[in-house]
Structures are given as structure tokens and as C-alpha cells.
Amino acid sequence: MSEETIQENNKKLLVVDDEARIRRLLRMYLEKADYSIDEAENGKIALDLALENDYDLILLDVMMPEMDGIQVAEELRKEKETPIMMLTAKGEELNRIQGFEVGADDYIVKPFSPREIVLRVAAILKRTADSAGGKGAADVSDTLKLPHLEIDNDSRRVTADGKTVNLTPKEYDLLHYLMSSPDQIFGREQLLREVWKYEFFGDLRTVDTHIKRLREKLKKESVVAAKMIETVWGLGYKLNSYPEEEEE
């Protein structure tokens, strides 16, 4: 991918990290890619700036003074759907799950490649633009219906056995993509490419984490609906249109 293809002119980003060295590094690479950059050194300042301004994306460190990144994302999601990329020195699954639970769009572990950051930022912004223009992964059909599971794409509402399931934007996109082609097996690489728009970079565990969260949320409303998402060992995942019914 050339430098020209990753440039997104007039996009305004907020870089949040308590380490000035990290902020300077990210600013240098992102400004080189023609992004406009604001900075925040702690969570409280970041939240204030994010609520006062309309940023196209926020790069948000997890471990910070005043408020940590999880708290910032949680509070921001009450008001806005600004895309968020979480930055952290911790790579444990628990931290990834916490980030995705509060609506983070991506997650990258320090130390990271600055060029990878630029590529991931471009991928998120492209996906956001495609969705706004009606070309996103979740725009194949207005309504998708299967036994035990239904998606109304106009309202982005998911119901399992008639009960509403609250999903993050990315969980919704993933479920819609699987449900658009029931019984078809998708590899994790393909899901990263089609749902996350990653071609060169992307942690395959991101897919596994989202699948795990989807199953957990569906299971709260319908055990059968949760079982519709199947793991095909050695190949990937599929959404089974004919799940096994629970025995009485």
C-alpha cells in the first residue's frame, strides 16, 4: 500500500497518552499522512476534548492518570460514536475484552510499529466513510431473519428469540456479515479483511474475542441463538441457519 493511498486529508484525530514521547512519535507519523492532530496527556483532558470536538478518530491509551482509557471510552460512548483505537502495554485477553465491551473499534499493543498505526487508522476511517455512504459490510439487506435470530439493519437492532441484544458497532457488523451468508465458513483472515478492512495488519485474536463476546451476549437472551455461531476447527467460523434446539 503506497503512502498516497493511506492519506485521509482533513481528518482530525485526538492522540491520548501520558507519555510525551509516544504522543510526539504518533503526531510525527500521522501528520506526515496529512492528518490534523490534537493531543491529551490524561483521560480527563481527553474526555473533555472528545466531547467538545468532533474527531474522526481517537487513539486512546489504556493506562493513564485521572481517568484510564476504558473509563474515557465508556463515558464517550454515552454521547458519541467516534471511532476509538485503544493503545496499551498490556496484551492480555481481559484488557482486549474490556476495550471492545466499551465500544473500541481496534486494539493495538505497545510497542507498536508507527506505520502499522497509520495503516490501521486509514482502515478504520475508510470503514467509517463506507458505512456513512451506505457501502458498509452491514448494508446487504434491510432485514435478515433466521429461526431464533433477526437483524433490522435500518435500526441496527438485533433480536434473539424476540429479545433485544445490545451489541457494540463492531459486534453488530461481524454478526451481520456472518448472517448475510448463513452456513458459509469464513476464515479469520477473511473476516479481518471484510469486516475490519485489514489486509496487511491485524491480530487474528481480535476476531476470536469478538466471536466470544457475541456468543456471550446472545446466550443471555437465547441459548439456541448463541449456538448458531459455530467454530469450524482449522477453518474459521460460520453462522448455522439450522441450530440444534434445546431439549425440554
Side-chain angles (χ1 to χ4, degrees), residues 159-195:
T159 54
D161 283 335
K163 301 175 184 177
T164 298
V165 183
N166 295 316
L167 303 178
T168 66
K170 192 47 55 188
E171 289 166 352
Y172 176 89
D173 289 344
L174 176 58
L175 179 61
H176 192 289
Y177 189 81
L178 291 171
M179 197 167 169
S180 296
S181 301
D183 301 312
Q184 181 174 336
I185 300 171
F186 297 101
R188 290 184 296 172
E189 295 88 349
Q190 183 178 358
L191 291 172
L192 276 176
R193 184 172 63 251
E194 298 298 332
V195 179

PDB file of all heavy atoms in Angstrom, residues 159-195:
ATOM      1  N   THR A 159     -32.347  -9.041  17.525  1.00  0.00           N
ATOM      2  CA  THR A 159     -33.190  -9.743  18.490  1.00  0.00           C
ATOM      3  C   THR A 159     -32.925 -11.235  18.423  1.00  0.00           C
ATOM      4  O   THR A 159     -32.737 -11.809  17.353  1.00  0.00           O
ATOM      5  CB  THR A 159     -34.686  -9.479  18.223  1.00  0.00           C
ATOM      6  OG1 THR A 159     -34.994  -9.814  16.866  1.00  0.00           O
ATOM      7  CG2 THR A 159     -35.035  -8.027  18.477  1.00  0.00           C
ATOM      8  N   ALA A 160     -32.888 -11.847  19.591  1.00  0.00           N
ATOM      9  CA  ALA A 160     -32.722 -13.291  19.711  1.00  0.00           C
ATOM     10  C   ALA A 160     -33.946 -13.839  20.425  1.00  0.00           C
ATOM     11  O   ALA A 160     -34.205 -13.468  21.578  1.00  0.00           O
ATOM     12  CB  ALA A 160     -31.446 -13.626  20.485  1.00  0.00           C
ATOM     13  N   ASP A 161     -34.714 -14.666  19.729  1.00  0.00           N
ATOM     14  CA  ASP A 161     -35.986 -15.166  20.251  1.00  0.00           C
ATOM     15  C   ASP A 161     -36.859 -14.013  20.745  1.00  0.00           C
ATOM     16  O   ASP A 161     -37.481 -14.085  21.816  1.00  0.00           O
ATOM     17  CB  ASP A 161     -35.749 -16.186  21.369  1.00  0.00           C
ATOM     18  CG  ASP A 161     -35.320 -17.539  20.813  1.00  0.00           C
ATOM     19  OD1 ASP A 161     -35.645 -17.833  19.640  1.00  0.00           O
ATOM     20  OD2 ASP A 161     -34.660 -18.301  21.544  1.00  0.00           O
ATOM     21  N   GLY A 162     -36.875 -12.929  19.979  1.00  0.00           N
ATOM     22  CA  GLY A 162     -37.727 -11.793  20.282  1.00  0.00           C
ATOM     23  C   GLY A 162     -37.178 -10.821  21.301  1.00  0.00           C
ATOM     24  O   GLY A 162     -37.788  -9.774  21.561  1.00  0.00           O
ATOM     25  N   LYS A 163     -36.005 -11.105  21.876  1.00  0.00           N
ATOM     26  CA  LYS A 163     -35.420 -10.241  22.904  1.00  0.00           C
ATOM     27  C   LYS A 163     -34.258  -9.447  22.311  1.00  0.00           C
ATOM     28  O   LYS A 163     -33.424 -10.001  21.597  1.00  0.00           O
ATOM     29  CB  LYS A 163     -34.931 -11.076  24.089  1.00  0.00           C
ATOM     30  CG  LYS A 163     -36.036 -11.889  24.755  1.00  0.00           C
ATOM     31  CD  LYS A 163     -35.469 -12.794  25.832  1.00  0.00           C
ATOM     32  CE  LYS A 163     -36.557 -13.679  26.436  1.00  0.00           C
ATOM     33  NZ  LYS A 163     -35.980 -14.623  27.438  1.00  0.00           N
ATOM     34  N   THR A 164     -34.203  -8.158  22.622  1.00  0.00           N
ATOM     35  CA  THR A 164     -33.164  -7.290  22.071  1.00  0.00           C
ATOM     36  C   THR A 164     -31.794  -7.641  22.638  1.00  0.00           C
ATOM     37  O   THR A 164     -31.643  -7.866  23.847  1.00  0.00           O
ATOM     38  CB  THR A 164     -33.477  -5.811  22.388  1.00  0.00           C
ATOM     39  OG1 THR A 164     -34.719  -5.463  21.776  1.00  0.00           O
ATOM     40  CG2 THR A 164     -32.383  -4.897  21.852  1.00  0.00           C
ATOM     41  N   VAL A 165     -30.797  -7.692  21.754  1.00  0.00           N
ATOM     42  CA  VAL A 165     -29.414  -7.966  22.146  1.00  0.00           C
ATOM     43  C   VAL A 165     -28.595  -6.694  21.877  1.00  0.00           C
ATOM     44  O   VAL A 165     -28.544  -6.215  20.743  1.00  0.00           O
ATOM     45  CB  VAL A 165     -28.817  -9.141  21.340  1.00  0.00           C
ATOM     46  CG1 VAL A 165     -27.403  -9.450  21.814  1.00  0.00           C
ATOM     47  CG2 VAL A 165     -29.716 -10.367  21.460  1.00  0.00           C
ATOM     48  N   ASN A 166     -27.995  -6.145  22.908  1.00  0.00           N
ATOM     49  CA  ASN A 166     -27.211  -4.921  22.775  1.00  0.00           C
ATOM     50  C   ASN A 166     -25.776  -5.253  22.381  1.00  0.00           C
ATOM     51  O   ASN A 166     -25.049  -5.900  23.140  1.00  0.00           O
ATOM     52  CB  ASN A 166     -27.222  -4.127  24.081  1.00  0.00           C
ATOM     53  CG  ASN A 166     -28.611  -3.619  24.441  1.00  0.00           C
ATOM     54  OD1 ASN A 166     -29.324  -3.109  23.583  1.00  0.00           O
ATOM     55  ND2 ASN A 166     -29.005  -3.770  25.694  1.00  0.00           N
ATOM     56  N   LEU A 167     -25.376  -4.796  21.194  1.00  0.00           N
ATOM     57  CA  LEU A 167     -24.046  -5.083  20.663  1.00  0.00           C
ATOM     58  C   LEU A 167     -23.281  -3.795  20.407  1.00  0.00           C
ATOM     59  O   LEU A 167     -23.885  -2.750  20.147  1.00  0.00           O
ATOM     60  CB  LEU A 167     -24.148  -5.872  19.349  1.00  0.00           C
ATOM     61  CG  LEU A 167     -24.908  -7.201  19.383  1.00  0.00           C
ATOM     62  CD1 LEU A 167     -24.948  -7.807  17.989  1.00  0.00           C
ATOM     63  CD2 LEU A 167     -24.270  -8.171  20.372  1.00  0.00           C
ATOM     64  N   THR A 168     -21.956  -3.888  20.454  1.00  0.00           N
ATOM     65  CA  THR A 168     -21.130  -2.773  20.032  1.00  0.00           C
ATOM     66  C   THR A 168     -21.195  -2.686  18.503  1.00  0.00           C
ATOM     67  O   THR A 168     -21.600  -3.645  17.837  1.00  0.00           O
ATOM     68  CB  THR A 168     -19.668  -2.961  20.459  1.00  0.00           C
ATOM     69  OG1 THR A 168     -19.110  -4.086  19.759  1.00  0.00           O
ATOM     70  CG2 THR A 168     -19.549  -3.206  21.960  1.00  0.00           C
ATOM     71  N   PRO A 169     -20.809  -1.542  17.911  1.00  0.00           N
ATOM     72  CA  PRO A 169     -20.861  -1.428  16.446  1.00  0.00           C
ATOM     73  C   PRO A 169     -20.109  -2.545  15.723  1.00  0.00           C
ATOM     74  O   PRO A 169     -20.583  -3.080  14.715  1.00  0.00           O
ATOM     75  CB  PRO A 169     -20.230  -0.058  16.188  1.00  0.00           C
ATOM     76  CG  PRO A 169     -20.566   0.739  17.408  1.00  0.00           C
ATOM     77  CD  PRO A 169     -20.456  -0.259  18.541  1.00  0.00           C
ATOM     78  N   LYS A 170     -18.953  -2.919  16.216  1.00  0.00           N
ATOM     79  CA  LYS A 170     -18.180  -3.939  15.522  1.00  0.00           C
ATOM     80  C   LYS A 170     -18.768  -5.333  15.720  1.00  0.00           C
ATOM     81  O   LYS A 170     -18.736  -6.164  14.802  1.00  0.00           O
ATOM     82  CB  LYS A 170     -16.717  -3.907  15.991  1.00  0.00           C
ATOM     83  CG  LYS A 170     -15.769  -4.731  15.142  1.00  0.00           C
ATOM     84  CD  LYS A 170     -15.961  -4.502  13.649  1.00  0.00           C
ATOM     85  CE  LYS A 170     -15.849  -3.044  13.271  1.00  0.00           C
ATOM     86  NZ  LYS A 170     -16.240  -2.836  11.836  1.00  0.00           N
ATOM     87  N   GLU A 171     -19.321  -5.608  16.888  1.00  0.00           N
ATOM     88  CA  GLU A 171     -20.010  -6.886  17.090  1.00  0.00           C
ATOM     89  C   GLU A 171     -21.193  -6.999  16.136  1.00  0.00           C
ATOM     90  O   GLU A 171     -21.439  -8.066  15.569  1.00  0.00           O
ATOM     91  CB  GLU A 171     -20.479  -6.997  18.545  1.00  0.00           C
ATOM     92  CG  GLU A 171     -19.362  -7.188  19.551  1.00  0.00           C
ATOM     93  CD  GLU A 171     -19.811  -6.969  20.982  1.00  0.00           C
ATOM     94  OE1 GLU A 171     -20.948  -6.514  21.197  1.00  0.00           O
ATOM     95  OE2 GLU A 171     -19.008  -7.234  21.900  1.00  0.00           O
ATOM     96  N   TYR A 172     -21.896  -5.906  15.969  1.00  0.00           N
ATOM     97  CA  TYR A 172     -23.036  -5.889  15.040  1.00  0.00           C
ATOM     98  C   TYR A 172     -22.570  -6.175  13.610  1.00  0.00           C
ATOM     99  O   TYR A 172     -23.168  -6.997  12.901  1.00  0.00           O
ATOM    100  CB  TYR A 172     -23.744  -4.535  15.102  1.00  0.00           C
ATOM    101  CG  TYR A 172     -24.864  -4.402  14.098  1.00  0.00           C
ATOM    102  CD1 TYR A 172     -26.157  -4.789  14.419  1.00  0.00           C
ATOM    103  CD2 TYR A 172     -24.628  -3.914  12.812  1.00  0.00           C
ATOM    104  CE1 TYR A 172     -27.196  -4.691  13.493  1.00  0.00           C
ATOM    105  CE2 TYR A 172     -25.641  -3.815  11.883  1.00  0.00           C
ATOM    106  CZ  TYR A 172     -26.924  -4.198  12.219  1.00  0.00           C
ATOM    107  OH  TYR A 172     -27.932  -4.114  11.299  1.00  0.00           O
ATOM    108  N   ASP A 173     -21.518  -5.478  13.167  1.00  0.00           N
ATOM    109  CA  ASP A 173     -21.015  -5.679  11.807  1.00  0.00           C
ATOM    110  C   ASP A 173     -20.595  -7.128  11.572  1.00  0.00           C
ATOM    111  O   ASP A 173     -20.848  -7.698  10.499  1.00  0.00           O
ATOM    112  CB  ASP A 173     -19.828  -4.751  11.536  1.00  0.00           C
ATOM    113  CG  ASP A 173     -20.234  -3.295  11.413  1.00  0.00           C
ATOM    114  OD1 ASP A 173     -21.438  -3.029  11.228  1.00  0.00           O
ATOM    115  OD2 ASP A 173     -19.348  -2.418  11.501  1.00  0.00           O
ATOM    116  N   LEU A 174     -19.938  -7.714  12.566  1.00  0.00           N
ATOM    117  CA  LEU A 174     -19.482  -9.100  12.432  1.00  0.00           C
ATOM    118  C   LEU A 174     -20.667 -10.055  12.342  1.00  0.00           C
ATOM    119  O   LEU A 174     -20.700 -10.943  11.476  1.00  0.00           O
ATOM    120  CB  LEU A 174     -18.589  -9.471  13.624  1.00  0.00           C
ATOM    121  CG  LEU A 174     -18.094 -10.916  13.688  1.00  0.00           C
ATOM    122  CD1 LEU A 174     -17.300 -11.286  12.441  1.00  0.00           C
ATOM    123  CD2 LEU A 174     -17.249 -11.129  14.950  1.00  0.00           C
ATOM    124  N   LEU A 175     -21.655  -9.882  13.217  1.00  0.00           N
ATOM    125  CA  LEU A 175     -22.821 -10.753  13.191  1.00  0.00           C
ATOM    126  C   LEU A 175     -23.578 -10.606  11.871  1.00  0.00           C
ATOM    127  O   LEU A 175     -24.005 -11.597  11.274  1.00  0.00           O
ATOM    128  CB  LEU A 175     -23.744 -10.429  14.366  1.00  0.00           C
ATOM    129  CG  LEU A 175     -25.029 -11.258  14.436  1.00  0.00           C
ATOM    130  CD1 LEU A 175     -24.715 -12.743  14.593  1.00  0.00           C
ATOM    131  CD2 LEU A 175     -25.923 -10.778  15.578  1.00  0.00           C
ATOM    132  N   HIS A 176     -23.724  -9.372  11.404  1.00  0.00           N
ATOM    133  CA  HIS A 176     -24.445  -9.143  10.148  1.00  0.00           C
ATOM    134  C   HIS A 176     -23.718  -9.807   8.981  1.00  0.00           C
ATOM    135  O   HIS A 176     -24.346 -10.399   8.108  1.00  0.00           O
ATOM    136  CB  HIS A 176     -24.598  -7.650   9.899  1.00  0.00           C
ATOM    137  CG  HIS A 176     -25.569  -7.308   8.801  1.00  0.00           C
ATOM    138  ND1 HIS A 176     -25.300  -7.541   7.469  1.00  0.00           N
ATOM    139  CD2 HIS A 176     -26.807  -6.783   8.853  1.00  0.00           C
ATOM    140  CE1 HIS A 176     -26.328  -7.156   6.741  1.00  0.00           C
ATOM    141  NE2 HIS A 176     -27.265  -6.690   7.550  1.00  0.00           N
ATOM    142  N   TYR A 177     -22.387  -9.715   8.979  1.00  0.00           N
ATOM    143  CA  TYR A 177     -21.613 -10.327   7.898  1.00  0.00           C
ATOM    144  C   TYR A 177     -21.803 -11.841   7.888  1.00  0.00           C
ATOM    145  O   TYR A 177     -22.023 -12.450   6.825  1.00  0.00           O
ATOM    146  CB  TYR A 177     -20.137  -9.976   8.040  1.00  0.00           C
ATOM    147  CG  TYR A 177     -19.305 -10.380   6.849  1.00  0.00           C
ATOM    148  CD1 TYR A 177     -19.275  -9.587   5.710  1.00  0.00           C
ATOM    149  CD2 TYR A 177     -18.577 -11.558   6.854  1.00  0.00           C
ATOM    150  CE1 TYR A 177     -18.537  -9.964   4.595  1.00  0.00           C
ATOM    151  CE2 TYR A 177     -17.828 -11.942   5.750  1.00  0.00           C
ATOM    152  CZ  TYR A 177     -17.813 -11.140   4.630  1.00  0.00           C
ATOM    153  OH  TYR A 177     -17.091 -11.518   3.530  1.00  0.00           O
ATOM    154  N   LEU A 178     -21.740 -12.464   9.057  1.00  0.00           N
ATOM    155  CA  LEU A 178     -21.935 -13.910   9.142  1.00  0.00           C
ATOM    156  C   LEU A 178     -23.359 -14.293   8.732  1.00  0.00           C
ATOM    157  O   LEU A 178     -23.580 -15.269   8.009  1.00  0.00           O
ATOM    158  CB  LEU A 178     -21.668 -14.394  10.568  1.00  0.00           C
ATOM    159  CG  LEU A 178     -20.224 -14.339  11.065  1.00  0.00           C
ATOM    160  CD1 LEU A 178     -20.175 -14.634  12.559  1.00  0.00           C
ATOM    161  CD2 LEU A 178     -19.334 -15.307  10.300  1.00  0.00           C
ATOM    162  N   MET A 179     -24.323 -13.494   9.179  1.00  0.00           N
ATOM    163  CA  MET A 179     -25.723 -13.814   8.931  1.00  0.00           C
ATOM    164  C   MET A 179     -26.124 -13.552   7.482  1.00  0.00           C
ATOM    165  O   MET A 179     -27.096 -14.127   6.985  1.00  0.00           O
ATOM    166  CB  MET A 179     -26.602 -13.014   9.885  1.00  0.00           C
ATOM    167  CG  MET A 179     -28.021 -13.522  10.015  1.00  0.00           C
ATOM    168  SD  MET A 179     -28.855 -12.758  11.413  1.00  0.00           S
ATOM    169  CE  MET A 179     -30.547 -13.282  11.102  1.00  0.00           C
ATOM    170  N   SER A 180     -25.372 -12.703   6.798  1.00  0.00           N
ATOM    171  CA  SER A 180     -25.673 -12.432   5.395  1.00  0.00           C
ATOM    172  C   SER A 180     -25.408 -13.641   4.508  1.00  0.00           C
ATOM    173  O   SER A 180     -25.957 -13.750   3.412  1.00  0.00           O
ATOM    174  CB  SER A 180     -24.845 -11.241   4.895  1.00  0.00           C
ATOM    175  OG  SER A 180     -25.195 -10.060   5.579  1.00  0.00           O
ATOM    176  N   SER A 181     -24.540 -14.549   4.970  1.00  0.00           N
ATOM    177  CA  SER A 181     -24.238 -15.781   4.220  1.00  0.00           C
ATOM    178  C   SER A 181     -24.281 -16.968   5.174  1.00  0.00           C
ATOM    179  O   SER A 181     -23.245 -17.526   5.543  1.00  0.00           O
ATOM    180  CB  SER A 181     -22.864 -15.684   3.554  1.00  0.00           C
ATOM    181  OG  SER A 181     -22.798 -14.585   2.678  1.00  0.00           O
ATOM    182  N   PRO A 182     -25.477 -17.340   5.625  1.00  0.00           N
ATOM    183  CA  PRO A 182     -25.583 -18.434   6.591  1.00  0.00           C
ATOM    184  C   PRO A 182     -25.014 -19.737   6.048  1.00  0.00           C
ATOM    185  O   PRO A 182     -25.083 -20.008   4.851  1.00  0.00           O
ATOM    186  CB  PRO A 182     -27.094 -18.544   6.835  1.00  0.00           C
ATOM    187  CG  PRO A 182     -27.729 -17.918   5.642  1.00  0.00           C
ATOM    188  CD  PRO A 182     -26.792 -16.829   5.215  1.00  0.00           C
ATOM    189  N   ASP A 183     -24.406 -20.488   6.962  1.00  0.00           N
ATOM    190  CA  ASP A 183     -23.821 -21.805   6.675  1.00  0.00           C
ATOM    191  C   ASP A 183     -22.525 -21.731   5.861  1.00  0.00           C
ATOM    192  O   ASP A 183     -21.928 -22.765   5.554  1.00  0.00           O
ATOM    193  CB  ASP A 183     -24.822 -22.719   5.959  1.00  0.00           C
ATOM    194  CG  ASP A 183     -26.093 -22.935   6.768  1.00  0.00           C
ATOM    195  OD1 ASP A 183     -25.966 -23.238   7.963  1.00  0.00           O
ATOM    196  OD2 ASP A 183     -27.189 -22.769   6.212  1.00  0.00           O
ATOM    197  N   GLN A 184     -22.088 -20.539   5.500  1.00  0.00           N
ATOM    198  CA  GLN A 184     -20.806 -20.398   4.804  1.00  0.00           C
ATOM    199  C   GLN A 184     -19.692 -20.219   5.827  1.00  0.00           C
ATOM    200  O   GLN A 184     -19.828 -19.463   6.792  1.00  0.00           O
ATOM    201  CB  GLN A 184     -20.835 -19.194   3.869  1.00  0.00           C
ATOM    202  CG  GLN A 184     -19.529 -19.003   3.095  1.00  0.00           C
ATOM    203  CD  GLN A 184     -19.625 -17.889   2.073  1.00  0.00           C
ATOM    204  OE1 GLN A 184     -20.712 -17.537   1.614  1.00  0.00           O
ATOM    205  NE2 GLN A 184     -18.486 -17.317   1.711  1.00  0.00           N
ATOM    206  N   ILE A 185     -18.580 -20.907   5.610  1.00  0.00           N
ATOM    207  CA  ILE A 185     -17.444 -20.839   6.527  1.00  0.00           C
ATOM    208  C   ILE A 185     -16.534 -19.673   6.140  1.00  0.00           C
ATOM    209  O   ILE A 185     -16.172 -19.529   4.967  1.00  0.00           O
ATOM    210  CB  ILE A 185     -16.644 -22.149   6.514  1.00  0.00           C
ATOM    211  CG1 ILE A 185     -17.536 -23.321   6.944  1.00  0.00           C
ATOM    212  CG2 ILE A 185     -15.422 -22.045   7.426  1.00  0.00           C
ATOM    213  CD1 ILE A 185     -16.894 -24.682   6.758  1.00  0.00           C
ATOM    214  N   PHE A 186     -16.183 -18.850   7.135  1.00  0.00           N
ATOM    215  CA  PHE A 186     -15.285 -17.726   6.910  1.00  0.00           C
ATOM    216  C   PHE A 186     -14.033 -17.887   7.779  1.00  0.00           C
ATOM    217  O   PHE A 186     -14.136 -18.105   8.988  1.00  0.00           O
ATOM    218  CB  PHE A 186     -15.961 -16.403   7.273  1.00  0.00           C
ATOM    219  CG  PHE A 186     -17.167 -16.087   6.431  1.00  0.00           C
ATOM    220  CD1 PHE A 186     -18.443 -16.311   6.914  1.00  0.00           C
ATOM    221  CD2 PHE A 186     -17.015 -15.568   5.152  1.00  0.00           C
ATOM    222  CE1 PHE A 186     -19.554 -16.017   6.145  1.00  0.00           C
ATOM    223  CE2 PHE A 186     -18.123 -15.276   4.366  1.00  0.00           C
ATOM    224  CZ  PHE A 186     -19.390 -15.499   4.862  1.00  0.00           C
ATOM    225  N   GLY A 187     -12.859 -17.812   7.147  1.00  0.00           N
ATOM    226  CA  GLY A 187     -11.617 -17.826   7.899  1.00  0.00           C
ATOM    227  C   GLY A 187     -11.432 -16.522   8.650  1.00  0.00           C
ATOM    228  O   GLY A 187     -12.024 -15.490   8.311  1.00  0.00           O
ATOM    229  N   ARG A 188     -10.599 -16.554   9.680  1.00  0.00           N
ATOM    230  CA  ARG A 188     -10.372 -15.335  10.468  1.00  0.00           C
ATOM    231  C   ARG A 188      -9.725 -14.257   9.619  1.00  0.00           C
ATOM    232  O   ARG A 188     -10.030 -13.069   9.781  1.00  0.00           O
ATOM    233  CB  ARG A 188      -9.505 -15.668  11.689  1.00  0.00           C
ATOM    234  CG  ARG A 188     -10.231 -16.503  12.728  1.00  0.00           C
ATOM    235  CD  ARG A 188      -9.387 -16.732  13.950  1.00  0.00           C
ATOM    236  NE  ARG A 188      -8.188 -17.522  13.649  1.00  0.00           N
ATOM    237  CZ  ARG A 188      -7.203 -17.744  14.512  1.00  0.00           C
ATOM    238  NH1 ARG A 188      -7.246 -17.232  15.710  1.00  0.00           N
ATOM    239  NH2 ARG A 188      -6.173 -18.486  14.173  1.00  0.00           N
ATOM    240  N   GLU A 189      -8.821 -14.646   8.714  1.00  0.00           N
ATOM    241  CA  GLU A 189      -8.193 -13.654   7.836  1.00  0.00           C
ATOM    242  C   GLU A 189      -9.232 -12.961   6.963  1.00  0.00           C
ATOM    243  O   GLU A 189      -9.182 -11.753   6.755  1.00  0.00           O
ATOM    244  CB  GLU A 189      -7.114 -14.304   6.962  1.00  0.00           C
ATOM    245  CG  GLU A 189      -5.923 -14.854   7.718  1.00  0.00           C
ATOM    246  CD  GLU A 189      -6.139 -16.294   8.168  1.00  0.00           C
ATOM    247  OE1 GLU A 189      -7.298 -16.793   8.075  1.00  0.00           O
ATOM    248  OE2 GLU A 189      -5.172 -16.923   8.617  1.00  0.00           O
ATOM    249  N   GLN A 190     -10.184 -13.749   6.440  1.00  0.00           N
ATOM    250  CA  GLN A 190     -11.232 -13.178   5.601  1.00  0.00           C
ATOM    251  C   GLN A 190     -12.118 -12.223   6.397  1.00  0.00           C
ATOM    252  O   GLN A 190     -12.505 -11.157   5.908  1.00  0.00           O
ATOM    253  CB  GLN A 190     -12.092 -14.289   4.997  1.00  0.00           C
ATOM    254  CG  GLN A 190     -13.177 -13.771   4.045  1.00  0.00           C
ATOM    255  CD  GLN A 190     -13.984 -14.877   3.410  1.00  0.00           C
ATOM    256  OE1 GLN A 190     -13.715 -16.052   3.640  1.00  0.00           O
ATOM    257  NE2 GLN A 190     -14.962 -14.516   2.598  1.00  0.00           N
ATOM    258  N   LEU A 191     -12.433 -12.581   7.635  1.00  0.00           N
ATOM    259  CA  LEU A 191     -13.257 -11.709   8.472  1.00  0.00           C
ATOM    260  C   LEU A 191     -12.522 -10.410   8.789  1.00  0.00           C
ATOM    261  O   LEU A 191     -13.134  -9.330   8.783  1.00  0.00           O
ATOM    262  CB  LEU A 191     -13.660 -12.432   9.756  1.00  0.00           C
ATOM    263  CG  LEU A 191     -14.642 -13.599   9.555  1.00  0.00           C
ATOM    264  CD1 LEU A 191     -14.818 -14.374  10.848  1.00  0.00           C
ATOM    265  CD2 LEU A 191     -15.983 -13.088   9.050  1.00  0.00           C
ATOM    266  N   LEU A 192     -11.228 -10.500   9.052  1.00  0.00           N
ATOM    267  CA  LEU A 192     -10.445  -9.278   9.277  1.00  0.00           C
ATOM    268  C   LEU A 192     -10.470  -8.397   8.039  1.00  0.00           C
ATOM    269  O   LEU A 192     -10.597  -7.177   8.127  1.00  0.00           O
ATOM    270  CB  LEU A 192      -8.992  -9.621   9.628  1.00  0.00           C
ATOM    271  CG  LEU A 192      -8.677  -9.949  11.084  1.00  0.00           C
ATOM    272  CD1 LEU A 192      -7.218 -10.359  11.214  1.00  0.00           C
ATOM    273  CD2 LEU A 192      -8.961  -8.766  11.992  1.00  0.00           C
ATOM    274  N   ARG A 193     -10.364  -9.025   6.890  1.00  0.00           N
ATOM    275  CA  ARG A 193     -10.322  -8.270   5.637  1.00  0.00           C
ATOM    276  C   ARG A 193     -11.674  -7.635   5.313  1.00  0.00           C
ATOM    277  O   ARG A 193     -11.748  -6.479   4.891  1.00  0.00           O
ATOM    278  CB  ARG A 193      -9.882  -9.190   4.502  1.00  0.00           C
ATOM    279  CG  ARG A 193      -9.711  -8.479   3.157  1.00  0.00           C
ATOM    280  CD  ARG A 193      -9.101  -9.394   2.118  1.00  0.00           C
ATOM    281  NE  ARG A 193      -9.952 -10.530   1.812  1.00  0.00           N
ATOM    282  CZ  ARG A 193      -9.680 -11.793   2.174  1.00  0.00           C
ATOM    283  NH1 ARG A 193      -8.583 -12.065   2.839  1.00  0.00           N
ATOM    284  NH2 ARG A 193     -10.504 -12.778   1.844  1.00  0.00           N
ATOM    285  N   GLU A 194     -12.752  -8.374   5.505  1.00  0.00           N
ATOM    286  CA  GLU A 194     -14.065  -7.909   5.082  1.00  0.00           C
ATOM    287  C   GLU A 194     -14.781  -7.066   6.139  1.00  0.00           C
ATOM    288  O   GLU A 194     -15.499  -6.128   5.802  1.00  0.00           O
ATOM    289  CB  GLU A 194     -14.946  -9.105   4.704  1.00  0.00           C
ATOM    290  CG  GLU A 194     -14.408  -9.910   3.538  1.00  0.00           C
ATOM    291  CD  GLU A 194     -14.323  -9.104   2.256  1.00  0.00           C
ATOM    292  OE1 GLU A 194     -15.113  -8.159   2.090  1.00  0.00           O
ATOM    293  OE2 GLU A 194     -13.459  -9.420   1.419  1.00  0.00           O
ATOM    294  N   VAL A 195     -14.606  -7.392   7.404  1.00  0.00           N
ATOM    295  CA  VAL A 195     -15.306  -6.669   8.465  1.00  0.00           C
ATOM    296  C   VAL A 195     -14.453  -5.557   9.053  1.00  0.00           C
ATOM    297  O   VAL A 195     -14.927  -4.447   9.279  1.00  0.00           O
ATOM    298  CB  VAL A 195     -15.762  -7.640   9.580  1.00  0.00           C
ATOM    299  CG1 VAL A 195     -16.480  -6.883  10.694  1.00  0.00           C
ATOM    300  CG2 VAL A 195     -16.672  -8.717   9.005  1.00  0.00           C
TER     301      VAL A 195
END
